Amino acid sequence: MTHDELAEIRKAEQERKQKYKHKINVCMASGCLSLRSDLVKEAITKEVDKECLADSVLVSKVGCVGLCSQGPIVVLETKGEVREGITPEDAEAIIKSLGAEHDGGNSNELVDGVVLRLDSKFFTRQKKIVMEHSGLIDPDRIEDYIAVGGYESVLDVLTEMSPAEVIDQVTRSGLRGRGGAGYPTGLKWSTVAKAFSSSGEKFIICNADEGDPGAYMDRSILESNPHQVIEGMIIGAFAVGASKGFVYVRAEYPLAIERLKIALKQAEKFGFLGHNIGGTTFSFTVELRYGAGAFVTGEETALIASVGGQRGLPQQRPPYPAERGLFGRPTLINNVETLANIPPIIRNGGDWFAKIGTEKSKGTKVFSLVGKINNVGLVEVPLGMPLREVIYDLGGGIPDGRTFKAVQTGGPSGGCIPAEHLDLPVDFESLQQAGSIMGSGGMIVMDDASCMVDVAKYFMGFCKSESCGKCIPCRVGTVQMHAILERITDGTATMEDLGLLENLCGLAKNASICGLGQSAPNPVLSTLRYFRDEYRAHIEERRCPAGVCKFKNAGKDVYEEDLEVRDETGTSS
Amino acid sequence: MRREPRVKTLRIDDCDCAGREDQTVLDVARENNIRIPTLCQINGLTNVGSCRMCLVEVKGVPKLLTACTTMVWEGMKVVTNSERLHEYRKMILELFFAERNHICAICVANRSCELQALALELGVDHIRYPYLYQALEIDSTHDKFVLDHNRCILCTRCIRACSEIEGANTLGMMRRGVNDKVITDLNQPWGESRTCTSCGKCVNVCPVGAIYEKGLSRTESRREHTFLPYLTIMRGER
Ligand SMILES: Cc1cc2nc3c(=O)[nH]c(=O)nc-3n(C[C@H](O)[C@H](O)[C@H](O)COP(=O)(O)O)c2cc1C
Ligand code: SF4
Ligand code: SF4
Ligand code: SF4
Ligand code: SF4
Ligand code: FES
C-alpha cells in the first residue's frame, strides 16, 4: 500500500458517503447492543427500503457514542441529533423526522426518546482524540477508518521517519501511559528501543486486559475503532524495533475480540500488517491472546507470563519488561488508550498534543462515569478539567435530588475524593495529591446515601479475591484488612482494630510484589483521610452515619455471635 | 558471544563488598557474613521473591527490594536491617502463622522448622490477627510422603525442586490468593500420580512441616537440602 493508493481509497470512500443526504448511525457497542440496537438498525434499514430512500439515507452501525446507559442510541448525524432509548417501533418516526425541518422541541413529539443535540454541553465540553471517530464510523470497515485519515500515520512513519524521530514526537507530546501508572510513553519507548536483544527479537504487547470494576474505556475503544489501536501498535513496533505484537484481551470482551479479529484481517489484507509494510523493509504481525479474566494479569509482568503460556503471576522488578520481558526479550507494553493516542500524535505532531491538557498531564483522558450520576457513560476530556465540570456538565449531576458525596477514581488502586475537592483539576498530579490516582479512568460517583467504610470494604473484598497469592503481604494482608473492615461495618471492631488496619495498610503498600498489593490499601487510606469520622462513628458509637451498615452484632462480642449461631442450628439449648 | 560477568563494588550495611553482576544482593551478603532472613529462597532453585522476608532498603530506590532477586550494581548502598524492615518481617511472620494452622507442639517439623526458627529469631511471641483456620485436607495417599496443606506456607520450593531439578513437574499450584493450594498433577491424589518419581526432593526442600516422610519421628525428619546446588549444576551441564 502506498500513499497514493491510500489516498484513492480515502477519496472514493468520502465521495460515496457524500452522496447521501442523511446519515443515521446506530450505536452497536456492547451497551446499546445489549439493549438490542441491532434490531433497531434492522428496523430502520427496513423502513428506509420501504420508503425507497436507500439512495439518500445511509444507515450505519457505529461504535460507542458515550451515553451508554440510555441506549439504544441513534445519531442523526446530518441533523445533529442524538436519540436515546430507541426501539424498533420508532423506526418509522425517525425516518419521517428526517423530512421535517428541525425545530428544537418539536422533534420530541416525533420520537419517543429524549433528544440530545450534538451541540449540547455533553458533546461540546468534551475533547475527543482517542474517541474522535467513535460513534461515527463502522468499526468493521477499514475503509471507514481510512476515510477519516486512518493508516496515513503508519505510511508517513515508515517512509519518512526514523525510529528515533517517531520516539521524539511521542516524547514531545508528553503522553503518559493510560493504563494506570502514568509512566511517560516516550521514555518507555526509547528504553525498549535501546534495550539490547541477543537474538535481535523484541515484542510489543497491547494491554487490553482491563479489569477495574466500573471501567470499560478500553473495551469501548476496541469495539468502536480497533484500527486506531492497531495503527498505534504498528507505529510503536517500528519505533522500538519489534517484529511481533500481541494483543492481550480479556475473554469476557467477546465483541471487542470479534472486531479486533476482523480489523486484523483487514489490516493484513490492505498491507498494513505482514511482510514489507508499505513497500519498506519493515515487517510486523499481531496475534491475539485471551486473558481468562484475572485482574492481576493486567499487571505487566503477570501479563507477560500469561502471554508466554505460564501462570499469570507478577514478578519482582527489576528486571523491567523493557529489558527482559516476553521470552526474556525486551518488550514494550502499552495500554489500549495509550496506543490509540499515537496515530493522532503522529498526524498532528507531538507539539500539538502537548498544547492540550496541563503542564505535566498532556492530552485527553477517557473516563467511564458510573454510579450515582445522570449520564452514565464514556466521556473524553482534556486533562486538567475540574472534577465539578466532569460530574455536573458532562455527567449531568446526581440523580433523585440527592447530593454528591465523593467520587472514587482509579479503581481498586485509587481512592475517594470528597466534595470539598470538587474543583480539583483532573490530572495525574492533582489526583495523587488528593490521595487518589487517575488509574485507568473509572469514576464511580457516590451520593450521600453511601457509606465510605462500606465502599472501602467493597474494594478490599475485590483485592482479596483477585490477589494472585504469590506474596504474603497481599495474600493474607488483604484478607485480614477485609476482616477488620467487616468488623467495623458489623459494629464489632475496636479502636485497636483501626490501628492494626493502618499497620497492615503500610505493610501491603511497602512489602508486596506488585501494584495490586501495593495499592490495595488506597481506598482504605483515602477514606480514612477524608471520612475518619465515619470510621469512628462505626467503632465508637456503633452507628453508620449513612445508614448503610446493619449492626446485627452491635453491643455483642464475637463469642456471643457464635453462641447465637449455635442456637439457631439447634446444637445448644 | 558470551561476555564475562563484571565485578561491582557495593556497600551492604557497614560492609564494603564486591560482587559479580550476576550475583544477587543476598549472595553477596551471605559471602560477607551478613544475615538476611529468608524463607522462600533456597540455593539451587530459581528465586521468586515471594516470602518478602529478605526485603532490604536500597539507597535512591523508593521501593523495598528483595535481596534474593535483585542483582548487585555498582555503587549500590543496601540496608538490610532497619527498624522498619524488622517490623515488616515480624508482621509477615505473624501473617504466615495466622494464615493456616501452626500448632508446633504436634508438628513433625517442630524444632527443625524454618518458619518457627525465624519467629524465634525475630521475637514474634504473639499473633495479633485472628487465625483464618481454613479446613484443609491432608493428602497421605503417597506410599512414602504426606502433604499437609494446613501447614503449607505456599513458598513453592517443592514445586520448583520438582520441576527444576527432578524435572517431573508433578507439583503445581491451583486457585489464587488465600485459596492457593499445592497440587499434584491435575489435582489428583499424590498416590495416584503417574509422574512422581518418589525422589523425595520436595520433602527435603520444604521449610516447614507441610511435606514430610511417613513413619519418621520428629528428630529423624531433619531436612537435607545442601545437595540442591550440586544437582543444579549437574542438571545445567547435561
Ligand atoms: C493489578 C494491576 C492491574 C492492571 N491492569 C491493567 C489493565 O487492565 N490494563 C492496562 O492497560 N494496564 C493495567 N495495569 C497497568 C499495567 O501493568 C501497565 O502499567 C500498563 O499496561 C502499561 O501501559 P501504559 O504505560 O501505556 O499505561 C495494571 C497494573 C496492576 C498492578
Ligand atoms: S501483590 Fe498480590 S497480586 Fe501482586 S504478586 Fe503479591 S500476591 Fe500477587
Ligand atoms: S510448620 Fe513450623 S511453624 Fe508450622 S506448626 Fe510446624 S513447626 Fe510450627
Ligand atoms: S517426590 Fe520428587 S517427583 Fe515426586 S513430587 Fe516430590 S519432587 Fe516431584
Ligand atoms: S509444601 Fe512446603 S515447600 Fe511446598 S509450598 Fe508448601 S511450604 Fe513450600
Ligand atoms: S527469600 Fe527473598 S523473598 Fe523470600
Side-chain angles (χ1 to χ4, degrees), chain A residues 451-470:
Chain A
C451 164
M452 303 315 281
V453 187
D454 190 58
V455 168
K457 187 176 82 176
Y458 167 80
F459 282 104
M460 193 55 76
F462 179 83
C463 291
K464 170 179 112 168
S465 50
E466 292 297 326
S467 164
C468 83
K470 180 170 177 175

Side-chain angles (χ1 to χ4, degrees), chain B residues 123-137:
Chain B
V124 176
D125 44 20
H126 67 292
I127 314 297
R128 290 169 296 169
Y129 310 101
Y131 286 80
L132 303 178
Y133 273 153
Q134 305 173 68
L136 300 169
E137 68 268 45

